[in-house]
Amino acid sequence: MSALPEIPRKRESILVQHPIASYFALTFTISWLGALAVAAPHLIRHEPLPKMTGILMFPAMLLGPSIAGIFLTWIVDGRSGLRDLFSRMSLARLPGRSYAMLLVPPVLILSVLLFLQAFISPVYVPNRFLIGVLFGLPAGFLEEIGWMGYAFPKMGSPNNRLAPGIVLGLFWALWHLPVINFLGTATPHGAYWLHFFAAFAVAMTAMRVLISWMYTNTRSVLLAQLMHVSSTGSLVIFSPPRVTALQEALWYLLYGTLLWLAVALVVRTYGKHLKIDGSA
C-alpha cells in the first residue's frame, strides 16, 4: 500500500462529504454501464438478449461494488483505511456458531423446495447442479468488498444496525435489476418478471440483514463474503430447473418469508443494534 499517495481531505470534495451516496452512485454507474456494454450489440440490433449474454452481464456488474468500495476507501479513509479493509477480509478466529450461519441459505432453500414438492407439485424437486457454487464465489468475494467492507460500516448509528441493513438490502436488490430476467431458472420471466423481482427483493433484503448481523458481531468481511457465496451458490445449485416463472416467484417468496422469520428472531433476541453482547 506504500505506493499509494494519501488523498487530500478537501471539505469541498463531494466524495468525502457524501461517502454513502457516492458509493451507491459509483457502484450503480459502473455496474449498469458494464451490463449495458455487454448487452449493447444485441440492443443496437433490436434483438432479444440471449441467455448467455444475460449471464455474461453479471461478471461485468461485479466490478461496481468492488471498484467503488476500494476506490472510495482510498479517497475517504486513505491508506490506513485500505489496510483496515483488507485486514477485515483475512481469516480470523471466530466462534463456530459464526460459520454455522453459512448453513442457513441451503437449509432454508431445501426446506422450501421439499415442502412444495411434497404438497404442491413435483416440479419443485431441488436441482443438484453442484458446480453452481462456482457462480457464488466471484459474486460473494467481489461484491462484499463494497457492500459490507465499505458501505455498511458507514451507515447509520451503532444503536440501530437493523435499518441500515434493510436500506442496504433494498439497494442490493435494485442493483440486480439489469440481470433480473436471467436470475433463477425460469428465464426469461416474461409477464411475471415483476413478481419475480419483488420476491427476489424480499429474500435478498432479509439476507442482507442477516449478513449485517453477522458483520456487526465479527467485523469480518470474509465471513460476509462466505455467507454471500453460500446464498448465491445455494440458489444456483438447488433451483428447480422445470418451474414456470410464476412458480419460481412463489418459491422465492416463501424462501424470503423464512429469511424474514430468521431476521425477526434475531431482532427479538438482540434488538435493533443486532449486538449479541447487548452493547451498542
Side-chain angles (χ1 to χ4, degrees):
M1 299 300 170
S2 58
L4 292 174
E6 287 284 6
I7 300 297
R9 303 295 186 267
K10 296 182 179 180
R11 289 188 177 181
E12 63 268 25
S13 170
I14 190 171
L15 299 181
V16 175
Q17 286 183 342
H18 305 284
I20 298 303
S22 298
Y23 170 77
F24 288 130
L26 189 59
T27 295
F28 276 66
T29 299
I30 295 172
S31 294
W32 287 17
L33 284 179
L36 179 62
V38 174
H42 297 282
L43 296 177
I44 291 173
R45 294 193 294 267
H46 302 285
E47 299 172 350
L49 296 181
K51 187 171 183 177
M52 181 54 66
T53 298
I55 292 173
L56 292 176
M57 288 165 65
F58 198 74
M61 289 183 63
L62 295 180
L63 297 176
S66 53
I67 290 176
I70 293 172
F71 174 71
L72 288 173
T73 297
W74 178 39
I75 293 291
V76 176
D77 301 317
R79 286 179 295 178
S80 62
L82 283 175
R83 285 193 294 269
D84 176 65
L85 171 62
F86 290 120
S87 72
R88 287 181 283 131
M89 292 167 57
S90 63
L91 192 62
R93 290 179 175 269
L94 298 172
R97 65 188 178 193
S98 299
Y99 293 103
M101 284 295 296
L102 303 179
L103 297 175
V104 168
V107 168
L108 293 188
I109 289 170
L110 283 173
S111 297
V112 167
L113 292 177
L114 291 175
F115 172 84
L116 291 173
Q117 179 192 358
F119 296 101
I120 303 298
S121 170
V123 76
Y124 287 105
V125 60
N127 200 0
R128 290 177 292 179
F129 183 59
L130 298 182
I131 199 173
V133 70
L134 298 179
F135 288 79
L137 289 171
F141 280 93
L142 290 176
E143 286 186 49
E144 295 307 321
I145 294 174
W147 302 125
M148 300 310 293
Y150 176 83
F152 182 74
K154 297 184 182 301
M155 296 175 68
S157 162
N159 294 317
N160 187 348
R161 306 308 285 157
L162 174 62
I166 292 174
V167 171
L168 189 60
L170 291 171
F171 274 101
W172 184 34
L174 182 63
W175 174 82
H176 289 84
L177 196 56
V179 292
I180 197 65
N181 234 0
F182 300 95
L183 299 178
T185 54
T187 56
H189 295 90
Y192 295 104
W193 79 267
L194 184 58
H195 299 73
F196 175 74
F197 175 67
F200 177 84
V202 167
M204 292 304 100
T205 305
M207 178 56 64
R208 180 54 57 186
V209 175
L210 293 178
I211 294 175
S212 300
W213 172 56
M214 296 168 67
Y215 177 83
T216 296
N217 289 282
T218 64
R219 290 194 77 250
S220 173
V221 175
L222 176 61
L223 190 60
Q225 291 171 317
L226 292 175
M227 187 65 162
H228 192 142
V229 171
S230 176
S231 173
T232 301
S234 297
L235 286 170
V236 176
I237 291 169
F238 298 122
S239 287
R242 295 188 300 275
V243 291
T244 66
L246 185 58
Q247 288 171 329
E248 186 160 65
L250 172 62
W251 86 256
Y252 263 76
L253 182 60
L254 291 179
Y255 171 51
T257 300
L258 289 184
L259 288 174
W260 276 108
L261 289 176
V263 169
L265 179 61
V266 167
V267 175
R268 180 179 177 85
T269 305
Y270 304 110
K272 293 182 179 180
H273 47 70
L274 303 182
K275 288 289 287 184
I276 290 177
D277 60 11
S279 61

